[in-house]
Amino acid sequence: MRAKSYNQYLDILPEIKDALEKGLPIVALESTIISHGMPYPRNVETAKQTEQVVRDNGAIPATIAILGGRLKVGLSSAEIDDLGKKGLDVIKSSRRDIPFLVAGEQDGATTVAATMIIADMAGIRLFATGGIGGVHRGGENSMDVSADLEELGQTNVAVVCAGIKSILDIGRTLEYLETAGVPVVSYKTDEVPAFYARSSGYKSDYQVNSPNHAAKALHAKYDLGINGSILITNPVPEIYALDPNDINNTIEEAITEMEKLGITGKQTTPFLLSRIAERTGGESLDTNIKLVLNNAKLAARIAVEYSNACKDGK
Ligand code: PSU
Ligand code: MN
């Protein structure tokens, strides 16, 4: 067997390669959120704004996707435009899909799981997104459990998100993460936020009050050789949060509609996100965008501290 070398599959933008060599702070960003998570053109605007927020907070953005079978670490502005315009026509790609897209020289938008895998290959340890996949409601029967959870259990990239969305079974998702050995931490609160809403009623494992605290825990984890992610949940800013009861009713209605239509598998999350946006008259989309930007800021600040911790060796 050949020595393990992923480099032949990776295309890393020169700015990011340089930052990796120098140990500078970098934040990975996913592309399924662009193609499947939001409608055009706000998906493209948001992707570019997110990159800018990462830069404004001292780190270098690396938006990840698969293009023509190449694992791209960092996209050009034109490539982001293209993914955003193609939307649902791009293949939503998780761990299972990567080898087939490479072999077929195809394009794929990467989910949290696939983005983590590619970020890890490049050596990027921080990743910002909006929401992760989890155990779907009724998952105890359907077994609809996102591959994101298994990835969080094994791949060495910390993920900053806005908590667990109530399209999912929050309690079971947290149980799964506990089993997988993933610490769920919350930023400046002791509760796991619920994406559109700041509160879920579930306590997180650890509260962190500074980017430095999160970075030190991450550094300790990888220094100790404990594989897997730390899930850093960051509540949506108060002014953009939605009323938990209102949004839960909207989510219930969207789930009922989805069940009637017989939608399952990888179509589930994109369907629910777009129905919820329609039913809230775009309000949920505005909240979604604001929380992504908020997460990019926190991830960049943690990346700065993590880069310092690595240089100090502590
Ligand atoms: N949640 C969101 N927006 C998203 C997703 C989740 O609020 O765009 C995307 C992410 O890419 C995530 C994926 O990794 O959906 C999970 O899909 P599934 O449940 O099919 O694994
Ligand atoms: Mn699923």
Side-chain angles (χ1 to χ4, degrees), residues 136 144-146 265-266:
H136 275 271
D144 188 347
V145 179
S146 175
K266 68 197 272 191

Side-chain angles (χ1 to χ4, degrees), residues 29 69 132-133 159 192 206 212 224 248 250 259 289 296 304:
L29 301 165
I132 59 160
V159 178
V192 178
Y206 297 94
N212 178 264
L224 289 161
N248 277 336
T250 306
E259 283 166 356
I289 291 170
V304 168

Side-chain angles (χ1 to χ4, degrees), residues 15-291:
E15 183 193 24
I16 299 168
K17 203 175 249 175
D18 181 61
L20 284 165
E21 279 159 15
K22 293 182 179 147
L24 300 176
I26 306 171
V27 174
L29 301 165
E30 61 152 311
S31 45
T32 292
I33 195 174
I34 306 175
S35 59
H36 290 66
M38 293 178 192
Y40 181 80
R42 295 195 72 193
N43 54 0
V44 168
E45 289 161 19
T46 305
K48 293 181 184 176
Q49 247 185 309
T50 308
E51 289 201 343
Q52 191 55 48
V53 168
V54 169
R55 286 188 193 282
D56 293 345
N57 287 278
I60 291 162
T63 302
I64 289 178
I66 303 173
L67 297 179
R70 302 288 303 163
L71 310 184
K72 297 279 180 188
V73 179
L75 299 182
S76 69
S77 180
E79 286 167 337
I80 291 177
D81 289 338
D82 195 47
L83 275 178
K85 276 185 198 149
K86 285 188 180 145
L88 301 182
D89 291 339
V90 183
I91 300 169
K92 177 179 161 187
S93 318
S94 192
R95 168 177 275 266
R96 65 178 177 188
D97 306 292
I98 296 174
F100 288 88
L101 296 177
V102 168
E105 299 178 8
Q106 282 172 287
D107 295 344
T110 50
T111 61
V112 167
T115 304
M116 286 176 74
I117 293 170
I118 297 170
D120 180 41
M121 286 176 186
I124 300 172
R125 302 285 160 231
L126 263 301
F127 166 17
T129 187
I132 59 160
V135 180
H136 275 271
R137 294 196 198 182
E140 66 274 29
N141 297 316
S142 67
M143 298 275 283
D144 188 347
V145 179
S146 175
D148 290 352
L149 298 186
E150 288 284 299
E151 209 59 54
L152 289 162
Q154 61 179 310
T155 300
N156 299 350
V157 180
V159 178
V160 180
C161 70
I164 315 291
K165 214 179 305 85
S166 51
I167 63 172
L168 301 170
D169 183 326
I170 300 176
R172 285 190 170 85
T173 300
L174 293 172
E175 290 293 347
Y176 200 106
L177 288 169
E178 182 192 357
T179 305
V182 180
V184 178
V185 305
S186 49
Y187 186 61
K188 292 189 172 169
T189 166
D190 63 355
E191 233 189 291
V192 178
F195 196 83
Y196 300 118
R198 288 170 62 85
S199 156
S200 69
Y202 290 91
K203 290 265 179 274
S204 62
D205 301 324
Y206 297 94
Q207 172 171 343
V208 297
N209 293 321
S210 68
N212 178 264
H213 186 182
K216 271 164 72 179
L218 191 65
H219 184 261
K221 179 168 167 119
Y222 297 149
D223 226 22
L224 289 161
I226 301 173
N227 288 333
S229 186
I230 294 182
L231 187 67
I232 301 158
T233 65
N234 186 27
V236 61
E238 192 108 47
I239 46 167
Y240 306 119
L242 302 181
D243 179 86
N245 292 325
D246 288 353
I247 194 69
N248 277 336
N249 289 338
T250 306
I251 289 170
E252 300 274 1
E253 287 162 14
I255 290 175
T256 307
E257 191 185 344
M258 181 182 81
E259 283 166 356
K260 271 196 201 130
L261 292 170
I263 291 167
T264 56
K266 68 197 272 191
Q267 273 89 36
T268 303
T269 303
F271 174 84
L272 290 174
L273 289 175
S274 77
R275 269 301 185 275
I276 294 162
E278 280 169 25
R279 285 171 180 269
T280 59
E283 215 189 347
S284 67
L285 178 59
D286 293 339
T287 300
N288 198 345
I289 291 170
K290 296 296 185 187
L291 64 82

